[in-house]
Structure formats: structure tokens, C-alpha cells
Amino acid sequence: MKKRVVLLLVLVLVASGVVFAQGQKAASDQMEVAMVLKTLSSEYWQRVVNGAEDAAKELGVKLIKLGPPTEDAVEQQINMVQDALTANPAALVFSPSQPPTAVGVLNNAKAKGIPVILVDTPMEAGFTNYDTFIGTENYDAGVAGAKAMIDALGKSSGTAVVIEGAPGNPTTTTRADGAEDTLRKAGYTIVARQPGFSDRNTAYNVMQNVLQANKSVDIVFCSNDEMALGALQALQQANVKALVLGTDGNKTALESILEDGLFGTAAQKPEMMGYLGVVNAVKAANGEKIDIRIDSGVDIITKANAQAALDALQ
Amino acid sequence: MDKKQDDLTQPTIVEDVSVEEMKEQETKLKRRGSLGIILSLFVLSAIIAILSPRFLTVSNLTNVLSQATVSAVISVGEFLAILTAGIDLSIGSILAISIMMLGIFAKNMAMNPLLAILLALAVGTLIGFFNGILLTKLRLPHPFISTMGTKMIGRGLALAVTAARPISGFANSITFLGGSSVGPIPASIILVAIVYAVMFVFMKHTATGRHIYAVGGNVEASRLSGINVHKVLLIVYSLSGFFAALAGLLLVGRVNAAYPLAGTDYETDAIAAVIIGGASFAGGVGKILNTIIGVLIIAVLRNGLNLLNVDSAYQTVAIGVVIILAVYLDVVRQKSSSVH
């Protein structure tokens, strides 16, 4: 008997939920932009969110932001896109963790007439009718980072190490390509190019192993700041002096530069990506034409301008 | 059926009494368990429906169900392992290596799709069988350790076989299970219904199914009553591997890609679903149909929190809280039933 009462109560609750829901539907007519990122749980992606929120505030749109707890929760990210699309947002701002897995949901979005704005990481073949891709020219970031170190050393030969992200991650791989090509052209020998999985500890181990085989290294390029800090730690413990440059321009990297740790970082502009993402999402939703490729830019930050960059972050 | 009668003739008198008693208590436990957990799912759905206008739409509910399918299938294997008082930490990795091999068979080697699918399922089943061998023949102390080893081997191989590159662009003949619909109903949901129906019958009406319960309840008693415990465990872990590969097949259909990081941490979700579904970590107690409710509770929770725009960090917290609550409810239930 008691159980039936409880069940009945639940049913009433559900029913009232539906009624309430119907009532709410008409309430808001504010434009809604959905943003699904690789994760929200890291400094870098939080900076993308900050830029996006600034744009949303300026333009008076509602921003829905989602992202799995870690970048490797790929299926969960796809689920989040599906969930976001049920709201029929005016546009979708998206950064794919594993581009091939997102083709289906993005095609669904386009079929529903929802513009797709890609940030940070482009889609590969299979989904080409996105509205724009906003991001760093990753190859250029690698080139610029490597050049800065070569210029600082002033040598036309030497040894270099390149540590990239997870194999298959197009962003970190392309950066490493840019750096490797530049270093080779300048006459440097690449004694090792290995994956550090975008992780500080993994890069630390990689660098330690590299130092077993090579007593001295001149230049270390890393595809993100976390790995650069890991590599730096291994170098310092082995008492090897080398220029280490990361990519991203995160706060911890800037602090390390100021303390004479890292030589520099090829700073992406994540705030700019988030900001431009939302701005162009709104434009696309309003039917305005936008460029298919928007460069969010790179800053090479060394000791000379690290303080300014750090101040800008805070 | 013959086997079943053999077993019935074997137990001694002492065991007969204890089995009867246990069964009585168990059915009590199970009934309460089922109602409690179904009620929890309803209450959770009700709360989310009240908070989000979009939850109770047909498209969203179809969405939640199809999102739950991969987890629903992989959790069947975990359920079996936990039922034998074991655990299988390798299912996420088995999923990954199975689908990478599926990609290699179907795309790189351009095999017949059906053959590729069968081979991929065989890969998963074999790795599961390997887990079983580690446990029974090599007598590794607890499947926690052995399957953790397999988990690392599987993940490493999944990354190695294509140098971590994803394989995408599968033909319809590969993706139909996870990606197509029969009328308005996704094929994956139909597959899950079939899997659970078959497993329900298997657990309830076959000798092997009952032996799995028996082994989980008391290994020694099972051995004495003539059950081939090693065989049962080999079947359980092979099935666990098989279902991991089958879940992988659904995943490949859903996202039309095989990627080596697939299935990362899926074992955690599966264990959570099984425990929320009322299965006991001590083994011997649990119901297959409650496992799907456990899966749905997690899926509804994630979907609801997404609709409500809640940071995923708190989603993880929420699921943790639900697991602890579920186990606590189980403790309370057991206490109250032992008083009677």
C-alpha cells in the first residue's frame, strides 16, 4: 500500500514537472549559444571560457558551456554535444577531442540549421561544411618558438629535442612539425622526438631518458607548457643547461620564465579563441558571412614580456 | 537440462537447508532492491524534469537511452565478474583493442564486414578468456590485480597497433548496430533489450547461470556440490571480454570511428552501475535487470546535469555521491533484513 502511495507521488511529481516545463518554454527569447570544449578542467580551457564569457556578456547572449572532466573522455564529449543540441541553440562553438568521432553529431547540427564554429582544433576530412575554424596556426607556433630559441643561442648547429603530445593529436603534432622543420633547416640535429602525452610527468620521464643517451642538449621544444615544465625539471636535476620553450602561455609557464626556468613559451591566445568563437557564432546565427579560417594569433613570450603577459592574465 | 537435474541431486541435506534459507532472504532483498532502485530512477528523472524543460522530450529521452547503450552492454560483463565476488578492470581497454582491431580488419585489410565484426568480438572474448586463465590456472590472487595488468596491456596495444591514430569512415555494414535506427528506435537500444533479455534467461534458467550465483555465494560449497568452479570463472571472464567488444561495436557505430583512447575509465562507470543496481561486492547477490537501471541512473544524471549546464567536475562529484548512497542503502537494507 505504502509503496503505491510513493509511486503515485512520484508520478504526480513527474507530471507537474512536465507542466512546469511547458510553461517555462516560452519564457526566454534570449539568443542561446552552446559551447562544448575538450574539457573545462584545465587552466587553458578555462581561459577559452573566460574569453567566451566576455563576448557573451558584451553581446547579451546566453552561453551554455560544457566539457568532460578529462580530455580523453571522448564519448562523453560527443554526448555533451547531443545534449546541447536538444536545446536548439542558435550556434555551436566546439573543439573536438578526437575529430573523427564528432563527424556524426556535427552533421546533425548542420542538418538542424545550427552553425558550427570550431575553436582550437580543426575537423579533418568527413566534415567540411563547418562555418569557421578559429585557432592558432599550430605549425607557425612551432616555427616561431623554434626561431626564438635559435636566435637566442646564435649558433648554426647544435642538438635539439622535440617533445610532442599524444601521438595522433593533430594540434600538438603540427606544432612539433613546425619546430622540427625549422630546427633542421637551421642546421640543428634532432636527437629525439618523442611523445609526452601533454603531461608534465611523462615529459619529465622522456627528458630523463633522453639525457641518458645525450650528455648535452641545446634546445628543447615542447608542444605544450606542462611538458616544458616537466622537461625543465629533468634538465635541472641533471645539471644540463638548455633553452626550453613550451606552447600555450599558461600562468605557471610565465612564472617559470620570470624565475629563469623556461626560456619562453609560444603563447596561444585562448581567450581570443573563446571570444572570437562566440562573436562569430552570433554573426553566423544572424546570417552574416564569416571567414572560413580565423587566426587567433601567437605571441612569443620570453623574460622581456613575461611580466606583462602575467599581468594581463590576472 | 540434464545437467540441471544432476546438480539438483547432488547437494547434501545441510546445504539444502542453507540454500533454501538464503534463497528466501535473497528474494526479499531482491524485491526491495528492485523497487528502491526503480523508484530512485523515477525520483531522479522527476527532479530533472522539474528543473529542465527539455528533459522529458521524446528526442532527449531517445538521446539518453542511446547514450546509455555502450555502458549498458559493457556493464553486463562487469555484473558477472562482481557476481562471482571478482572484478574486471580491463573492460575499457578490451573495448579499445577490440575496436582498433575491428578498424584494422575492416578498413586496413578490407575484410568482409561480418567477418571483421566476428573477429573483433573474438579478440575481446579471447582477452577475457586470458583473464580467466590468469585467475584459475595461474592462480593469481585476485582479479583486481590480474585484470589491472590486462587493462594496461590492452590499452598499450590499442595505442600501438595504429601508432595512436584513430580509424574512421566505416561502412554502414559495420556501423549499423550503433548508428542506425529501426523506425524511430535506434538499433542500439534494440540490441541492449535483446542482450538483457538473453542474459536474464541465461542467469535464471540455465545451470551455468545458477552456477555463477553459487560460485559468487560460496566457492567452497560450490566446489563440494560438484560445480566446476574454474569453468564457471572462465565463462564469466570470457563473457566479460565479449560484452566489452560488443559495446565497442556499438561505440564505433555511434561515433563512426575507432580510437585507441576509447573506453578510458568505462570500467569505473560499469562498476558504479552494477553497485547502484544493488549487486553485492561480496558476490552471489545481484540482478541483471537492476544493472540496466543502474546504468540509466548514471546516464540520466549526466544528461540532466548537461541540460542544466552544470560543470562536469560537479557531475563527477554527483555520481560519486550516488554510488556512496547506493551502497549505504544496501547496508541499511541488509541490516533490516537480518533483524527479521
Side-chain angles (χ1 to χ4, degrees):
Chain A
M1 212 58 245
K2 213 173 169 187
K3 286 167 190 166
R4 280 198 195 148
V5 174
V6 177
L7 262 177
L8 203 73
L9 265 175
V10 172
L11 284 177
V12 171
L13 224 68
V14 174
S16 58
V18 178
V19 174
F20 182 76
Q22 299 303 326
Q24 269 224 326
K25 241 175 205 167
S28 102
D29 52 350
Q30 196 184 20
M31 185 189 275
E32 210 171 83
V33 172
M35 182 171 72
V36 182
L37 301 176
K38 292 185 191 180
T39 178
L40 300 181
S41 316
S42 76
E43 188 191 331
Y44 178 83
W45 292 106
Q46 277 303 327
R47 289 174 59 191
V48 176
V49 170
N50 290 343
E53 276 174 343
D54 286 348
K57 210 178 279 168
E58 269 174 37
L59 299 168
V61 298
K62 187 178 167 204
L63 183 67
I64 295 172
K65 35 188 196 300
L66 294 169
T70 56
E71 286 195 29
D72 53 18
V74 180
E75 194 198 1
Q76 212 183 330
Q77 191 196 31
I78 302 302
N79 291 345
M80 285 178 162
V81 175
Q82 288 183 330
D83 291 347
L85 291 180
T86 59
N88 272 317
L92 173 71
V93 179
F94 179 60
S95 184
S97 283
Q98 293 273 337
T101 64
V103 173
V105 282
L106 294 185
N107 277 324
N108 286 347
K110 291 298 285 186
K112 287 174 107 177
I114 298 171
V116 174
I117 313 292
L118 300 171
V119 292
D120 180 79
T121 307
M123 288 294 293
E124 293 154 3
F127 181 74
T128 46
N129 61 335
Y130 55 87
D131 292 77
T132 182
F133 164 55
I134 302 166
T136 316
E137 282 291 1
N138 284 303
Y139 189 87
D140 293 353
V143 171
K147 255 200 185 120
M149 287 190 283
I150 294 166
D151 290 348
L153 267 185
K155 290 203 292 185
S156 62
S157 72
T159 51
V161 174
V162 175
I163 303 179
E164 59 183 327
N169 178 333
T171 309
T172 45
T173 306
T174 315
R175 286 175 196 164
D177 287 345
E180 183 179 342
D181 291 352
T182 311
L183 286 161
R184 278 191 196 286
K185 255 184 242 159
Y188 282 75
T189 314
I190 309 291
V191 293
R193 172 170 171 170
Q194 287 187 26
F197 290 88
S198 300
D199 176 65
R200 189 186 297 206
N201 191 42
T202 311
Y204 169 70
N205 293 335
V206 166
M207 196 66 228
Q208 277 189 328
N209 294 339
V210 169
L211 288 173
Q212 294 299 317
N214 303 277
K215 291 266 172 290
S216 79
V217 172
D218 296 316
I219 282 177
V220 180
F221 176 89
C222 299
S223 288
N224 82 355
D225 283 341
E226 283 293 311
M227 294 191 290
L229 291 164
L232 176 71
Q233 197 185 344
L235 287 161
Q236 285 174 339
Q237 281 175 4
N239 263 325
V240 176
K241 275 247 166 235
L243 297 184
V244 185
L245 182 129
T247 323
D248 282 347
N250 285 343
K251 195 175 149 210
T252 40
L254 299 178
E255 283 164 355
S256 170
I257 293 168
L258 288 172
E259 290 158 9
D260 289 316
L262 293 181
F263 165 73
T265 176
Q268 302 202 74
K269 299 178 171 176
E271 289 89 356
M272 193 51 96
M273 282 181 213
Y275 183 87
L276 289 173
V278 171
V279 167
N280 285 286
V282 172
K283 276 188 187 167
N286 288 333
E288 288 175 48
K289 218 181 137 35
I290 54 177
D291 290 335
I292 190 88
R293 177 70 174 95
I294 298 172
D295 186 4
S296 51
V298 180
D299 279 338
I300 296 296
I301 298 176
T302 57
K303 200 162 186 194
N305 52 355
Q307 189 59 52
L310 194 58
D311 292 343
L313 271 186
Q314 283 151 355
Chain B
M1 281 297 130
D2 286 350
K3 257 190 185 171
K4 177 181 144 192
Q5 277 179 344
D6 279 356
D7 297 333
L8 284 177
T9 56
Q10 278 186 5
T12 62
I13 300 164
V14 183
E15 273 170 348
D16 253 337
V17 176
S18 65
V19 166
E20 289 268 303
E21 244 174 33
M22 262 174 61
K23 267 194 181 156
E24 207 175 295
Q25 227 182 42
E26 242 180 60
T27 39
K28 258 190 201 167
L29 265 175
K30 280 179 188 167
R31 278 224 191 92
R32 292 184 185 199
S34 303
L35 193 77
I37 178 180
I38 292 172
L39 209 66
S40 311
L41 179 60
F42 266 101
V43 171
L44 177 68
S45 306
I47 294 170
I48 293 171
I50 291 168
L51 293 174
S52 168
R54 285 182 253 120
F55 179 72
L56 278 181
T57 56
V58 175
S59 73
N60 186 56
L61 290 180
T62 318
N63 207 4
V64 181
L65 289 179
S66 62
Q67 286 174 2
T69 52
V70 175
S71 181
V73 172
I74 208 169
S75 295
V76 172
E78 194 65 74
F79 168 78
L80 295 174
I82 289 178
L83 200 55
T84 61
I87 197 149
D88 191 342
L89 298 180
S90 64
I91 49 178
S93 296
I94 295 181
L95 181 154
I97 182 68
S98 304
I99 64 173
M100 292 319 287
M101 290 315 291
L102 175 68
I104 289 173
F105 295 144
K107 291 281 294 182
N108 301 9
M109 298 169 69
M111 261 183 208
N112 170 290
L114 183 65
L115 183 63
I117 288 175
L118 289 177
L119 282 177
L121 293 175
V123 167
T125 313
L126 265 178
I127 301 177
F129 183 76
F130 173 70
N131 276 332
I133 293 286
L134 291 180
L135 184 62
T136 57
K137 295 290 184 292
L138 301 190
R139 296 177 183 280
L140 295 191
H142 192 278
F144 188 98
I145 310 294
S146 48
T147 59
M148 189 164 74
T150 312
K151 167 183 164 159
M152 291 171 182
I153 296 172
R155 180 67 60 196
L157 289 178
L159 281 159
V161 285
T162 62
R165 265 185 293 278
I167 300 172
S168 59
F170 287 94
N172 255 345
S173 46
I174 298 282
T175 59
F176 69 100
L177 271 179
S180 70
S181 292
V182 180
I185 306 169
S188 56
I189 294 176
I190 298 173
L191 179 81
V192 169
I194 294 172
V195 164
Y196 274 81
V198 168
M199 285 310 290
F200 177 74
V201 173
F202 173 74
M203 295 310 290
K204 210 161 186 182
H205 297 291
T206 69
T208 313
R210 281 195 303 269
H211 288 171
I212 294 174
Y213 275 106
V215 169
N218 188 335
V219 178
E220 268 322 297
S222 306
R223 213 187 305 270
L224 290 175
S225 64
I227 295 174
N228 185 340
V229 173
H230 280 190
K231 194 178 122 196
V232 169
L233 289 175
L234 279 175
I235 291 174
V236 162
Y237 283 90
S238 302
L239 278 175
S240 186
F242 168 79
F243 283 117
L246 186 63
L249 193 61
L250 287 184
L251 181 62
V252 166
R254 260 172 69 69
V255 301
N256 196 5
Y259 53 102
L261 291 178
T264 307
D265 289 342
Y266 282 24
E267 60 277 2
T268 327
D269 264 16
I271 295 167
V274 172
I275 297 303
I276 292 171
S280 162
F281 234 73
V285 178
K287 250 172 122 183
I288 182 77
L289 294 186
N290 280 357
T291 300
I292 185 82
I293 310 285
V295 169
L296 285 174
I297 286 181
I298 295 178
V300 165
L301 197 60
R302 284 234 166 88
N303 171 262
L305 295 173
N306 282 348
L307 294 182
L308 295 172
N309 200 9
V310 175
D311 188 328
S312 66
Y314 295 105
Q315 297 190 17
T316 311
V317 173
I319 290 166
V321 170
V322 169
I323 293 170
I324 292 172
L325 272 180
V327 178
Y328 177 68
L329 280 179
D330 192 48
V331 171
V332 171
R333 272 203 308 264
Q334 280 183 15
K335 254 191 201 155
S336 71
S337 75
S338 65
V339 169
H340 290 308

